[in-house]
Amino acid sequence: MSATLNHPEPTLNSGDNFSGFKVLRVETIPALRITAYEIEHEKTGARILHLHSFDRENLYVFALRLQILPACRIFWNTLFWPAQKNIR
């Protein structure tokens, strides 16, 4: 009886470089039937978590570290938290 994989075989290894990204970690998670790749963009430091599965709908998560200065926070609140007014 042959064992069949229920998750994709990893195609990259930790420490590999691919298109300007460095592979930080590769984990197979058989219970979820996925192979997870944590990669980092070398220039910007943006990190990406890619959950690879045999399903056609794969998942990407982008995480950007942002520093919000007090002046930016006021601008952000002005744009996205307008005063509640009854407009008819």
Side-chain angles (χ1 to χ4, degrees):
M1 184 176 195
S2 65
T4 59
L5 286 177
N6 64 351
H7 57 82
E9 192 68 31
T11 56
L12 298 170
N13 297 311
S14 294
D16 287 352
N17 288 313
F18 178 76
S19 296
F21 289 89
K22 181 176 181 180
V23 179
L24 301 176
R25 187 169 56 161
V26 178
E27 297 281 335
T28 56
I29 307 172
L32 298 176
R33 295 180 293 195
I34 62 172
T35 300
Y37 296 92
E38 182 182 359
I39 61 177
E40 182 178 45
H41 190 254
E42 293 178 332
K43 284 187 179 179
T44 63
R47 288 190 174 194
I48 298 173
L49 174 63
H50 173 55
L51 304 178
H52 183 210
S53 72
F54 288 125
D55 189 353
R56 289 176 45 192
E57 295 184 21
N58 286 294
L59 175 68
Y60 290 89
V61 176
F62 293 88
L64 302 173
R65 187 171 293 173
L66 300 175
Q67 229 176 357
I68 298 180
L69 303 173
C72 294
R73 189 177 309 266
I74 293 168
F75 179 68
W76 180 269
N77 289 341
T78 303
L79 285 178
F80 297 105
W81 295 95
Q84 297 289 328
K85 293 183 180 178
N86 248 344
I87 301 174
R88 293 186 187 216

Coordinates of all heavy atoms in Angstrom, one line a residue:
M1 N 0.8 -1.2 0.0 CA 0.0 0.0 0.0 C 0.9 1.2 0.0 O 1.7 1.4 0.9 CB -0.9 0.0 1.2 CG -1.9 1.1 1.3 SD -2.9 0.8 2.7 CE -4.2 1.9 2.4
S2 N 0.7 2.1 -1.0 CA 1.6 3.3 -1.0 C 0.9 4.5 -0.3 O -0.3 4.7 -0.4 CB 1.8 3.7 -2.5 OG 0.6 4.1 -3.1
A3 N 1.7 5.2 0.4 CA 1.3 6.4 1.1 C 1.2 7.5 0.1 O 2.1 7.8 -0.7 CB 2.2 6.7 2.2
T4 N 0.0 8.2 0.2 CA -0.1 9.4 -0.7 C -0.1 10.7 0.1 O -0.6 10.7 1.3 CB -1.5 9.4 -1.4 OG1 -2.6 9.3 -0.5 CG2 -1.6 8.1 -2.4
L5 N 0.6 11.7 -0.4 CA 0.6 13.0 0.3 C -0.7 13.7 0.2 O -1.3 13.7 -0.8 CB 1.7 13.8 -0.3 CG 3.2 13.4 -0.1 CD1 4.1 14.4 -0.8 CD2 3.5 13.5 1.4
N6 N -1.1 14.2 1.3 CA -2.3 15.0 1.3 C -2.0 16.5 1.3 O -2.9 17.3 1.5 CB -3.3 14.6 2.4 CG -2.7 14.9 3.8 OD1 -1.5 15.3 3.9 ND2 -3.5 14.8 4.8
H7 N -0.7 16.9 1.2 CA -0.3 18.3 1.1 C 0.8 18.4 0.0 O 1.5 17.4 -0.3 CB 0.3 18.7 2.4 CG 1.4 17.9 2.9 ND1 2.7 18.1 2.5 CD2 1.5 16.9 3.8 CE1 3.5 17.2 3.1 NE2 2.8 16.5 3.9
P8 N 0.9 19.5 -0.6 CA 1.9 19.7 -1.7 C 3.4 19.5 -1.1 O 3.7 19.9 0.0 CB 1.7 21.1 -2.2 CG 0.4 21.5 -1.7 CD 0.1 20.7 -0.5
E9 N 4.2 18.9 -1.9 CA 5.6 18.7 -1.6 C 6.3 20.1 -1.7 O 6.0 20.8 -2.6 CB 6.3 17.8 -2.6 CG 7.6 17.3 -2.2 CD 7.6 16.4 -1.0 OE1 6.7 15.6 -0.8 OE2 8.6 16.4 -0.3
P10 N 7.1 20.5 -0.7 CA 7.8 21.8 -0.7 C 8.6 21.9 -2.0 O 9.4 21.0 -2.3 CB 8.6 21.8 0.5 CG 8.0 20.8 1.5 CD 7.4 19.8 0.6
T11 N 8.6 23.1 -2.6 CA 9.4 23.3 -3.8 C 10.5 24.3 -3.5 O 11.5 24.4 -4.3 CB 8.5 23.9 -4.9 OG1 7.9 25.1 -4.5 CG2 7.5 23.0 -5.4
L12 N 10.5 24.9 -2.3 CA 11.6 25.8 -1.9 C 12.0 25.4 -0.5 O 11.2 24.8 0.2 CB 11.1 27.3 -1.9 CG 10.6 27.9 -3.2 CD1 10.0 29.2 -2.9 CD2 11.8 28.1 -4.1
N13 N 13.2 25.8 -0.1 CA 13.7 25.4 1.2 C 14.1 26.7 1.9 O 14.3 27.8 1.3 CB 15.0 24.5 1.1 CG 14.6 23.2 0.5 OD1 13.7 22.6 0.9 ND2 15.4 22.8 -0.5
S14 N 14.2 26.7 3.2 CA 14.6 27.8 4.0 C 16.0 28.3 3.5 O 16.9 27.5 3.3 CB 14.7 27.5 5.5 OG 13.4 27.2 6.0
G15 N 16.1 29.6 3.4 CA 17.4 30.2 2.9 C 17.4 30.4 1.4 O 18.3 31.1 0.9
D16 N 16.5 29.8 0.6 CA 16.5 30.0 -0.8 C 16.1 31.4 -1.1 O 15.4 32.1 -0.4 CB 15.5 29.1 -1.5 CG 16.0 27.6 -1.5 OD1 17.1 27.3 -1.1 OD2 15.1 26.8 -1.9
N17 N 16.6 31.9 -2.3 CA 16.2 33.2 -2.8 C 15.4 33.0 -4.1 O 15.8 32.2 -4.9 CB 17.4 34.1 -3.1 CG 18.1 34.6 -1.8 OD1 17.4 35.0 -0.9 ND2 19.4 34.4 -1.8
F18 N 14.3 33.8 -4.2 CA 13.4 33.6 -5.4 C 12.8 35.0 -5.7 O 12.1 35.5 -4.9 CB 12.3 32.6 -5.0 CG 11.3 32.4 -6.1 CD1 11.7 31.6 -7.2 CD2 10.1 33.0 -6.1 CE1 10.8 31.4 -8.2 CE2 9.2 32.8 -7.1 CZ 9.5 32.0 -8.2
S19 N 13.2 35.5 -6.9 CA 12.7 36.8 -7.4 C 12.7 37.9 -6.4 O 11.7 38.7 -6.2 CB 11.2 36.6 -7.9 OG 11.2 35.7 -8.9
G20 N 13.8 38.1 -5.7 CA 14.0 39.2 -4.8 C 13.4 38.9 -3.4 O 13.4 39.8 -2.5
F21 N 13.0 37.7 -3.1 CA 12.5 37.3 -1.9 C 13.4 36.2 -1.2 O 14.0 35.4 -1.9 CB 11.1 36.7 -2.0 CG 10.0 37.7 -2.3 CD1 9.7 38.0 -3.6 CD2 9.3 38.4 -1.3 CE1 8.8 38.9 -3.9 CE2 8.4 39.3 -1.6 CZ 8.1 39.6 -2.9
K22 N 13.5 36.2 0.1 CA 14.2 35.2 0.8 C 13.3 34.3 1.5 O 12.4 34.8 2.2 CB 15.2 35.9 1.8 CG 16.0 34.8 2.5 CD 17.0 35.5 3.4 CE 17.9 34.4 4.1 NZ 18.8 35.0 5.0
V23 N 13.4 33.0 1.4 CA 12.5 32.1 2.1 C 13.0 31.9 3.5 O 14.1 31.5 3.8 CB 12.5 30.7 1.4 CG1 11.6 29.7 2.1 CG2 12.1 30.8 -0.1
L24 N 12.1 32.3 4.5 CA 12.5 32.3 5.9 C 12.2 31.0 6.5 O 12.9 30.4 7.3 CB 11.8 33.4 6.7 CG 12.0 34.8 6.2 CD1 11.2 35.8 7.0 CD2 13.5 35.2 6.3
R25 N 11.0 30.4 6.1 CA 10.6 29.2 6.8 C 9.6 28.4 5.8 O 8.8 29.0 5.1 CB 9.9 29.5 8.1 CG 9.5 28.3 8.9 CD 9.0 28.7 10.3 NE 7.9 29.6 10.2 CZ 7.1 29.9 11.2 NH1 7.3 29.3 12.4 NH2 6.1 30.7 11.1
V26 N 9.7 27.1 5.9 CA 8.8 26.2 5.1 C 8.3 25.2 6.1 O 9.1 24.5 6.7 CB 9.5 25.6 3.9 CG1 8.6 24.6 3.2 CG2 10.1 26.6 3.0
E27 N 7.0 25.0 6.2 CA 6.4 24.1 7.0 C 5.3 23.3 6.3 O 4.5 23.9 5.6 CB 5.7 24.7 8.3 CG 6.7 25.5 9.2 CD 7.4 24.6 10.1 OE1 7.0 23.5 10.4 OE2 8.5 25.0 10.5
T28 N 5.2 22.0 6.4 CA 4.1 21.2 5.9 C 3.2 21.0 7.1 O 3.6 20.7 8.2 CB 4.6 19.9 5.3 OG1 5.3 19.2 6.3 CG2 5.4 20.1 4.1
I29 N 1.9 21.2 6.8 CA 0.8 21.0 7.9 C -0.2 20.0 7.3 O -1.2 20.3 6.7 CB 0.2 22.3 8.2 CG1 1.2 23.4 8.6 CG2 -0.8 22.1 9.4 CD1 0.7 24.8 8.8
P30 N 0.1 18.7 7.5 CA -0.7 17.6 7.0 C -2.2 17.7 7.4 O -3.1 17.4 6.7 CB -0.1 16.3 7.4 CG 1.3 16.7 7.7 CD 1.3 18.1 8.2
A31 N -2.4 18.1 8.7 CA -3.8 18.2 9.2 C -4.6 19.2 8.4 O -5.9 19.0 8.2 CB -3.8 18.6 10.6
L32 N -4.0 20.3 7.8 CA -4.7 21.3 7.0 C -4.5 21.0 5.5 O -5.0 21.8 4.7 CB -4.3 22.7 7.4 CG -4.5 23.1 8.9 CD1 -3.9 24.5 9.1 CD2 -6.0 23.1 9.1
R33 N -3.7 20.1 5.2 CA -3.4 19.7 3.8 C -2.7 20.9 3.1 O -3.1 21.2 2.0 CB -4.6 19.2 3.1 CG -5.1 17.9 3.6 CD -6.3 17.5 2.9 NE -7.4 18.4 3.2 CZ -8.6 18.2 2.9 NH1 -9.0 17.1 2.4 NH2 -9.5 19.1 3.2
I34 N -1.8 21.5 3.8 CA -1.1 22.7 3.2 C 0.4 22.6 3.4 O 0.9 21.9 4.3 CB -1.6 24.0 3.7 CG1 -1.4 24.2 5.2 CG2 -3.1 24.3 3.4 CD1 -1.7 25.5 5.7
T35 N 1.1 23.4 2.6 CA 2.6 23.7 2.8 C 2.6 25.2 3.0 O 2.2 25.9 2.1 CB 3.4 23.2 1.6 OG1 3.3 21.8 1.5 CG2 4.9 23.5 1.9
A36 N 3.2 25.6 4.1 CA 3.3 27.1 4.4 C 4.7 27.6 4.1 O 5.6 27.0 4.5 CB 2.9 27.4 5.8
Y37 N 4.7 28.7 3.4 CA 6.0 29.4 3.1 C 5.9 30.8 3.7 O 5.0 31.6 3.4 CB 6.2 29.6 1.6 CG 6.3 28.3 0.8 CD1 5.2 27.7 0.3 CD2 7.5 27.7 0.6 CE1 5.3 26.5 -0.4 CE2 7.6 26.5 -0.1 CZ 6.5 25.9 -0.6 OH 6.6 24.7 -1.3
E38 N 6.9 31.1 4.5 CA 7.1 32.5 5.0 C 8.3 33.1 4.3 O 9.4 32.5 4.4 CB 7.4 32.5 6.5 CG 7.5 33.9 7.1 CD 7.8 33.9 8.6 OE1 7.9 32.8 9.2 OE2 8.0 35.0 9.1
I39 N 8.0 34.1 3.5 CA 9.1 34.7 2.7 C 9.2 36.2 3.0 O 8.2 36.8 3.5 CB 8.9 34.5 1.2 CG1 7.6 35.1 0.7 CG2 8.9 33.0 0.9 CD1 7.4 34.9 -0.8
E40 N 10.3 36.8 2.7 CA 10.5 38.3 3.0 C 11.2 38.9 1.8 O 12.1 38.4 1.2 CB 11.5 38.4 4.2 CG 11.7 39.9 4.6 CD 12.6 40.0 5.8 OE1 13.6 39.2 5.9 OE2 12.3 40.8 6.7
H41 N 10.6 40.1 1.4 CA 11.1 40.8 0.3 C 12.4 41.5 0.8 O 12.5 42.1 1.8 CB 10.1 41.9 -0.2 CG 10.6 42.5 -1.5 ND1 11.0 43.8 -1.5 CD2 10.5 42.1 -2.7 CE1 11.3 44.1 -2.8 NE2 11.0 43.1 -3.5
E42 N 13.5 41.3 0.0 CA 14.8 41.7 0.5 C 15.0 43.2 0.5 O 15.6 43.7 1.4 CB 15.9 41.1 -0.4 CG 16.0 39.6 -0.2 CD 17.0 38.9 -1.1 OE1 17.3 39.5 -2.2 OE2 17.5 37.9 -0.7
K43 N 14.4 44.0 -0.4 CA 14.5 45.4 -0.4 C 13.6 46.1 0.6 O 14.0 47.0 1.3 CB 14.2 46.0 -1.8 CG 15.3 45.8 -2.8 CD 15.0 46.5 -4.1 CE 16.1 46.3 -5.1 NZ 15.9 47.0 -6.3
T44 N 12.3 45.7 0.7 CA 11.4 46.4 1.5 C 11.2 45.8 2.9 O 10.6 46.4 3.8 CB 10.0 46.5 0.8 OG1 9.5 45.2 0.6 CG2 10.1 47.2 -0.5
G45 N 11.5 44.5 3.0 CA 11.3 43.8 4.3 C 9.8 43.3 4.5 O 9.5 42.8 5.5
A46 N 9.0 43.5 3.4 CA 7.6 43.0 3.5 C 7.7 41.5 3.6 O 8.4 40.8 3.0 CB 6.9 43.4 2.2
R47 N 6.8 41.0 4.5 CA 6.7 39.5 4.7 C 5.5 39.0 4.1 O 4.4 39.6 4.2 CB 6.8 39.2 6.2 CG 8.2 39.4 6.7 CD 8.2 38.9 8.1 NE 9.6 39.0 8.6 CZ 10.0 38.3 9.7 NH1 9.2 37.6 10.3 NH2 11.3 38.5 10.0
I48 N 5.6 37.8 3.5 CA 4.4 37.2 2.9 C 4.3 35.8 3.5 O 5.3 35.0 3.6 CB 4.6 37.1 1.4 CG1 4.6 38.5 0.8 CG2 3.4 36.3 0.7 CD1 4.9 38.6 -0.7
L49 N 3.1 35.4 3.8 CA 2.8 34.0 4.2 C 1.9 33.4 3.1 O 0.9 33.9 2.8 CB 2.0 34.0 5.5 CG 1.5 32.6 6.0 CD1 2.7 31.7 6.2 CD2 0.7 32.7 7.2
H50 N 2.5 32.4 2.4 CA 1.7 31.7 1.4 C 1.4 30.3 1.8 O 2.2 29.5 2.2 CB 2.6 31.6 0.1 CG 2.0 30.8 -1.0 ND1 0.7 31.0 -1.5 CD2 2.4 29.7 -1.6 CE1 0.4 30.2 -2.4 NE2 1.4 29.3 -2.5
L51 N 0.1 30.0 1.8 CA -0.4 28.7 2.2 C -0.8 28.0 0.9 O -1.8 28.2 0.3 CB -1.7 28.8 3.1 CG -1.5 29.7 4.4 CD1 -2.7 29.7 5.2 CD2 -0.3 29.1 5.2
H52 N 0.1 27.0 0.5 CA 0.0 26.3 -0.7 C -0.8 25.0 -0.5 O -0.5 24.2 0.4 CB 1.4 26.0 -1.3 CG 1.3 25.3 -2.6 ND1 2.3 24.5 -3.0 CD2 0.4 25.4 -3.6 CE1 2.1 24.0 -4.2 NE2 0.9 24.6 -4.6
S53 N -1.8 24.8 -1.3 CA -2.6 23.5 -1.2 C -2.9 23.0 -2.6 O -2.6 23.7 -3.6 CB -3.9 23.8 -0.4 OG -4.8 24.5 -1.2
F54 N -3.4 21.8 -2.7 CA -3.8 21.3 -4.0 C -5.1 22.0 -4.5 O -5.4 21.9 -5.7 CB -4.1 19.8 -3.9 CG -2.8 19.0 -3.7 CD1 -2.7 18.1 -2.6 CD2 -1.7 19.1 -4.5 CE1 -1.5 17.4 -2.4 CE2 -0.6 18.4 -4.4 CZ -0.5 17.5 -3.3
D55 N -5.8 22.7 -3.6 CA -7.0 23.4 -4.1 C -6.5 24.6 -4.9 O -5.5 25.2 -4.7 CB -7.7 23.9 -2.8 CG -9.0 24.6 -3.1 OD1 -9.4 24.7 -4.3 OD2 -9.7 24.9 -2.1
R56 N -7.3 24.9 -5.9 CA -6.9 26.0 -6.8 C -7.0 27.4 -6.1 O -6.4 28.3 -6.6 CB -7.9 26.0 -8.0 CG -7.6 24.9 -8.9 CD -8.6 24.8 -10.1 NE -8.8 26.1 -10.7 CZ -9.7 26.3 -11.6 NH1 -10.6 25.4 -11.9 NH2 -9.9 27.5 -12.1
E57 N -7.7 27.5 -5.0 CA -7.8 28.8 -4.3 C -6.7 28.8 -3.2 O -7.0 28.4 -2.1 CB -9.2 29.0 -3.8 CG -10.2 29.1 -4.9 CD -11.6 29.4 -4.4 OE1 -11.7 29.9 -3.2 OE2 -12.5 29.1 -5.1
N58 N -5.6 29.3 -3.5 CA -4.5 29.4 -2.5 C -4.6 30.8 -1.8 O -5.3 31.7 -2.2 CB -3.1 29.4 -3.2 CG -2.8 28.0 -3.6 OD1 -2.6 27.1 -2.8 ND2 -2.7 27.7 -4.9
L59 N -3.9 30.9 -0.7 CA -4.0 32.1 0.2 C -2.7 32.8 0.3 O -1.7 32.1 0.5 CB -4.6 31.7 1.5 CG -4.6 32.8 2.6 CD1 -5.7 33.8 2.2 CD2 -4.9 32.2 4.0
Y60 N -2.7 34.1 0.2 CA -1.5 34.9 0.4 C -1.9 35.9 1.5 O -2.9 36.5 1.5 CB -1.1 35.7 -0.8 CG -0.5 34.9 -1.9 CD1 -1.4 34.3 -2.9 CD2 0.8 34.6 -2.0 CE1 -0.8 33.5 -3.9 CE2 1.4 33.9 -3.0 CZ 0.5 33.3 -4.0 OH 1.0 32.6 -5.0
V61 N -0.9 36.2 2.4 CA -1.1 37.2 3.4 C 0.1 38.1 3.3 O 1.2 37.7 3.4 CB -1.2 36.6 4.8 CG1 -1.3 37.7 5.9 CG2 -2.4 35.7 4.9
F62 N -0.2 39.4 3.2 CA 0.9 40.4 3.1 C 0.9 41.2 4.4 O -0.1 41.7 4.9 CB 0.7 41.4 1.9 CG 0.8 40.8 0.6 CD1 -0.3 40.2 0.0 CD2 2.0 40.7 -0.1 CE1 -0.2 39.6 -1.2 CE2 2.1 40.1 -1.3 CZ 1.0 39.6 -1.9
A63 N 2.1 41.3 5.0 CA 2.2 42.1 6.2 C 3.3 43.2 6.0 O 4.4 42.9 5.7 CB 2.6 41.2 7.4
L64 N 2.9 44.4 6.2 CA 3.8 45.5 6.1 C 3.9 46.2 7.4 O 2.9 46.5 8.0 CB 3.3 46.5 5.0 CG 3.1 46.0 3.6 CD1 2.4 47.0 2.7 CD2 4.4 45.5 3.0
R65 N 5.1 46.5 7.8 CA 5.3 47.2 9.1 C 5.2 48.7 8.8 O 6.0 49.2 8.0 CB 6.6 46.8 9.7 CG 6.8 47.4 11.1 CD 8.0 46.9 11.7 NE 7.8 45.5 11.9 CZ 8.7 44.6 12.4 NH1 9.9 45.0 12.6 NH2 8.4 43.3 12.6
L66 N 4.3 49.4 9.4 CA 4.1 50.8 9.1 C 4.3 51.6 10.4 O 3.9 51.1 11.5 CB 2.7 51.1 8.6 CG 2.3 50.4 7.3 CD1 0.8 50.7 7.0 CD2 3.2 50.9 6.2
Q67 N 4.9 52.7 10.3 CA 5.0 53.6 11.4 C 4.1 54.8 11.2 O 4.3 55.6 10.2 CB 6.5 54.1 11.6 CG 7.0 53.9 12.9 CD 8.5 54.3 13.0 OE1 9.1 54.6 12.0 NE2 9.0 54.3 14.2
I68 N 3.2 55.1 12.0 CA 2.2 56.2 11.8 C 2.7 57.3 12.8 O 2.7 57.1 14.0 CB 0.8 55.8 12.1 CG1 0.4 54.7 11.1 CG2 -0.1 57.0 12.0 CD1 -1.0 54.2 11.2
L69 N 3.0 58.4 12.2 CA 3.4 59.6 13.0 C 2.1 60.3 13.4 O 1.1 60.2 12.8 CB 4.3 60.5 12.2 CG 5.5 59.9 11.6 CD1 6.2 60.8 10.7 CD2 6.4 59.5 12.8
P70 N 2.2 61.1 14.5 CA 0.9 61.8 15.0 C 0.3 62.7 13.9 O -1.0 62.7 13.8 CB 1.5 62.7 16.1 CG 2.7 62.0 16.6 CD 3.3 61.4 15.4
A71 N 1.0 63.3 13.0 CA 0.4 64.1 12.0 C -0.3 63.2 11.0 O -1.4 63.6 10.4 CB 1.5 65.0 11.3
C72 N 0.3 62.1 10.7 CA -0.4 61.1 9.7 C -1.7 60.6 10.3 O -2.6 60.4 9.6 CB 0.6 60.0 9.4 SG 2.0 60.5 8.5
R73 N -1.7 60.4 11.6 CA -2.8 59.8 12.3 C -4.0 60.8 12.2 O -5.1 60.4 11.9 CB -2.5 59.5 13.8 CG -3.6 58.8 14.5 CD -3.2 58.5 15.9 NE -1.9 57.9 16.0 CZ -1.7 56.6 16.1 NH1 -2.7 55.7 16.0 NH2 -0.5 56.1 16.2
I74 N -3.7 62.1 12.3 CA -4.8 63.1 12.2 C -5.3 63.1 10.7 O -6.5 63.1 10.5 CB -4.3 64.5 12.6 CG1 -3.9 64.6 14.1 CG2 -5.2 65.6 12.2 CD1 -3.2 65.8 14.5
F75 N -4.4 63.0 9.8 CA -4.8 63.0 8.4 C -5.6 61.7 8.1 O -6.7 61.8 7.4 CB -3.6 63.0 7.5 CG -3.9 62.9 6.0 CD1 -4.5 64.0 5.4 CD2 -3.6 61.8 5.3 CE1 -4.8 63.9 4.0 CE2 -3.8 61.7 3.9 CZ -4.5 62.8 3.3
W76 N -5.2 60.6 8.6 CA -5.9 59.3 8.4 C -7.3 59.4 9.0 O -8.3 59.0 8.4 CB -5.1 58.2 9.1 CG -5.7 56.8 9.0 CD1 -6.6 56.3 9.9 CD2 -5.5 55.9 8.0 NE1 -7.0 55.0 9.4 CE2 -6.3 54.8 8.3 CE3 -4.7 55.9 6.8 CZ2 -6.3 53.6 7.5 CZ3 -4.8 54.7 6.0 CH2 -5.6 53.7 6.4
N77 N -7.4 59.9 10.2 CA -8.7 60.1 10.9 C -9.6 61.0 10.1 O -10.8 60.8 10.0 CB -8.6 60.6 12.3 CG -8.0 59.5 13.2 OD1 -8.1 58.3 12.9 ND2 -7.5 59.9 14.3
T78 N -9.1 62.1 9.5 CA -9.9 63.0 8.7 C -10.4 62.3 7.5 O -11.6 62.5 7.1 CB -9.0 64.2 8.3 OG1 -8.5 64.8 9.4 CG2 -9.8 65.2 7.5
L79 N -9.6 61.4 6.8 CA -10.1 60.8 5.6 C -11.1 59.7 5.9 O -12.1 59.5 5.2 CB -8.9 60.1 4.9 CG -8.0 61.1 4.1 CD1 -6.8 60.3 3.5 CD2 -8.7 61.8 3.0
F80 N -10.8 58.8 6.9 CA -11.6 57.6 7.1 C -12.5 57.6 8.2 O -13.3 56.7 8.4 CB -10.6 56.4 7.2 CG -9.8 56.3 6.0 CD1 -8.5 56.6 5.9 CD2 -10.4 55.7 4.8 CE1 -7.7 56.4 4.8 CE2 -9.6 55.6 3.7 CZ -8.3 55.9 3.6
W81 N -12.6 58.6 9.0 CA -13.5 58.7 10.1 C -14.2 60.1 10.0 O -14.1 60.9 11.0 CB -12.8 58.6 11.5 CG -12.3 57.2 11.7 CD1 -11.0 56.8 11.4 CD2 -13.0 56.1 12.1 NE1 -10.9 55.5 11.7 CE2 -12.0 55.0 12.1 CE3 -14.3 55.8 12.5 CZ2 -12.4 53.7 12.5 CZ3 -14.6 54.5 12.9 CH2 -13.7 53.5 12.9
P82 N -15.0 60.4 8.9 CA -15.6 61.7 8.8 C -16.7 61.8 9.9 O -17.2 60.8 10.4 CB -16.3 61.6 7.4 CG -16.4 60.2 7.1 CD -15.2 59.5 7.8
A83 N -17.0 63.1 10.2 CA -18.1 63.3 11.2 C -19.4 62.7 10.8 O -19.7 62.8 9.6 CB -18.2 64.8 11.5
Q84 N -20.1 62.2 11.7 CA -21.4 61.6 11.3 C -22.4 62.7 11.2 O -22.7 63.5 12.1 CB -21.9 60.6 12.5 CG -21.0 59.5 12.7 CD -21.1 58.5 11.5 OE1 -22.1 58.3 10.9 NE2 -20.0 57.8 11.2
K85 N -23.0 62.9 10.0 CA -24.0 63.9 9.7 C -25.2 63.3 9.0 O -25.0 62.3 8.3 CB -23.4 65.0 8.8 CG -22.3 65.8 9.5 CD -21.8 66.9 8.6 CE -20.7 67.7 9.2 NZ -20.2 68.7 8.4
N86 N -26.3 63.9 9.3 CA -27.5 63.4 8.6 C -27.6 64.2 7.3 O -27.9 65.3 7.2 CB -28.7 63.8 9.5 CG -29.4 62.5 10.0 OD1 -29.1 61.4 9.5 ND2 -30.3 62.7 11.0
I87 N -27.3 63.5 6.2 CA -27.3 64.1 4.9 C -28.6 63.5 4.2 O -28.7 62.3 4.0 CB -26.1 63.8 4.1 CG1 -24.9 64.3 4.8 CG2 -26.2 64.4 2.7 CD1 -23.5 64.0 4.2
R88 N -29.5 64.4 3.8 CA -30.6 63.9 3.0 C -30.7 64.6 1.7 O -30.4 65.6 1.4 CB -31.9 64.3 3.8 CG -31.9 63.4 5.1 CD -33.2 63.7 5.8 NE -33.2 63.0 7.1 CZ -34.1 62.4 7.6 NH1 -35.3 62.4 7.1 NH2 -34.0 61.8 8.8

